[in-house]
Amino acid sequence: MMDKLIIFDTTLRDGEQAPGASLNPAEKLEIAHVLQELGVDVIEAGFPISSPGDLESVKQIAKAIKGSIICGLARAIKTDIDAVAEGIKPAKRGRIHVFLATSKIHMQYKLKKAEDEIMRLAIESVRYARKFCPDVEFSPEDATRSDRDFLYRVLEAVIKEGATTVNIPDTVGYTQPEEYGSLIHGIKNNVPNISKAIISTHCHNDLGMGVANSLEAIKAGARQVECTINGIGERAGNASMEEIVMNVKTRKDIFGGLEVNITTQQIYKASRLVSKLTGFVVAPNKAIVGGNAFRHESGIHQDGVLKERSTYEIIKPEDVGFTGTGIVLGKHSGRHALAERLKDLGFSLTQEELVKVNERFKILADKKKTIFDDDLISIVEDEIKLIKPVWKLESFQVNSGTKVAPQAEVCLKYKNKILCGKSSGDGPVDACFKAIDKITTTKCELQDYRIEAVTQGKDALGEVSLKLKAKGKVVTSRGSSTDIIESSVRAYINALNKIESL
Ligand code: KIV
Ligand code: ZN
């Protein structure tokens, strides 16, 4: 049998714990669909005890996704395990993931419990979880700072109770590759029943070592890797899935041809979606999915690539679904060509959605000579909303310049009525936002605002990402247009609609 590496994606659980990365249930479900298309083996869909919304979301995902194992997280507490059991009930294949800290520092200060009590709780919680599900994972939280002998004993005990996966979290991103590899070796050599369980890695990125540590663990024999799309997660994030997968696939000479289920051609699409829905912009120099990851700027490099791609390219961009900025369509391209191109980019749209995207495409084609793939992706992401919009942009007008105080009038459609508001502001964008606040009578706090060009050229689409707080909720959203004021207005309205949907 081929040696297989299990990909456990925790974008929807640890990834969503990243400060400001709030996702609503519809968005989580959309990400889960893309994770399934990617071929992820296990999807950690949430932490059901944390809120009724999280429980519902895990249930929805368990109902809809049949191609991956659906997992939920629980502390070593019966009510937590009950909540996961309920959440994963509709799943074709479910998993309960129980965690309990084993490091002295966590036991003493956080849990205020001694070793024997931790041992008892670990045993009882796995025994209890096994009553609901044959697939149980146990994580000794802060494993890398735990006493090794105690860790070995806990792992032996939970495997005896039926844990089928033992995950070794580097909870605070403290370990180094060699040290983590030696820990995995230590577990293999000192836990007598280890052959009955799969060893898993879970690395955080506080020292920037998340991926390196995970890869070292794989070399040492770990056969499950926990990771997130774009490496999002608590603090500095988790190990990034795309980097781990492409390391294993690209360096077969080192990873011994390990089988990995991932359809790598879907990676770029998944990255864009997670970035859009969380509002976390991917840095241009990010490995595998950054905008510059496959761009060659220096003349020498360009010349080399034109003569022979492998001179400067170790991965073919198309292998990760990166379509680059090749000219794709123009003003005269028909709807059929548009639909075909969108299909190539991995989007399967309904007729109704295609009509909407086509309308925006035609408007853009009137303003912009060449439409790139990234322009198309941006239109689709902007147009195909997961939530029913309460507010829709009807029109806006701004007056701004060096000698006038910026003024804006915005008109929004609300329940078939057109409502307009006027305001001045510190700049045209601020004036528009204030005018919208007047219409919606919502007190909003803009916590973050960024703008970037989707493609190159003076006529490029400008994409605005912002973070907005209103009604006690914080959301992130995006909007795009060739006009950056319009992008800003669209992003602001998208954020308000998202808040209404939560
Ligand atoms: O980082 C961590 O320790 C975790 C556990 C819950 C697995 O996320
Ligand atoms: Zn974690």
Side-chain angles (χ1 to χ4, degrees), residues 179-197:
E179 182 185 43
Y180 194 53
S182 116
L183 176 59
I184 304 296
H185 276 300
I187 290 168
K188 279 176 72 180
N189 295 330
N190 293 284
V191 178
N193 52 1
I194 195 67
S195 62
K196 296 204 172 101

Side-chain angles (χ1 to χ4, degrees), residues 10 13-14 17 169-171 202-204 226 234-235 237-238:
T10 183
R13 200 277 299 169
D14 224 350
Q17 280 174 224
D170 182 31
T171 304
H202 180 108
C203 295
H204 280 268
E226 302 198 353
E234 280 272 2
R235 308 179 307 276
N238 288 58

Side-chain angles (χ1 to χ4, degrees), residues 47 68 119 122 210 216 224 230 247 257 372 375 393-394 406 424 427 436 474 480 495 502:
F47 189 7
S68 311
M119 178 66 93
E216 204 56 40
Q224 173 175 288
N230 297 339
N247 267 278
F372 300 108
D375 293 323
L393 175 63
E394 190 63 22
S424 55
I436 295 173
V474 179
S480 65
L502 287 172

Side-chain angles (χ1 to χ4, degrees), residues 6-10 13 42-44 69 71-76 81 84 94-100 122 125-126 129-130 133-140 155 158-159 162-169 197-202 224-226:
I6 297 164
I7 304 295
F8 177 116
D9 182 276
T10 183
R13 200 277 299 169
V42 187
I43 297 174
E44 189 161 53
I69 294 172
C71 174
L73 183 68
R75 288 168 298 179
I81 297 169
V84 175
R95 175 179 295 186
I96 300 177
H97 178 189
V98 179
F99 76 101
L100 177 66
S125 57
V126 170
R130 276 298 303 242
C133 183
D135 187 345
V136 172
E137 172 170 332
F138 180 81
S139 285
L155 294 178
V158 294
I159 294 171
T164 41
T165 301
V166 286
N167 182 40
I168 313 300
I198 287 175
I199 303 175
S200 166
T201 79
H202 180 108
Q224 173 175 288
V225 62
E226 302 198 353

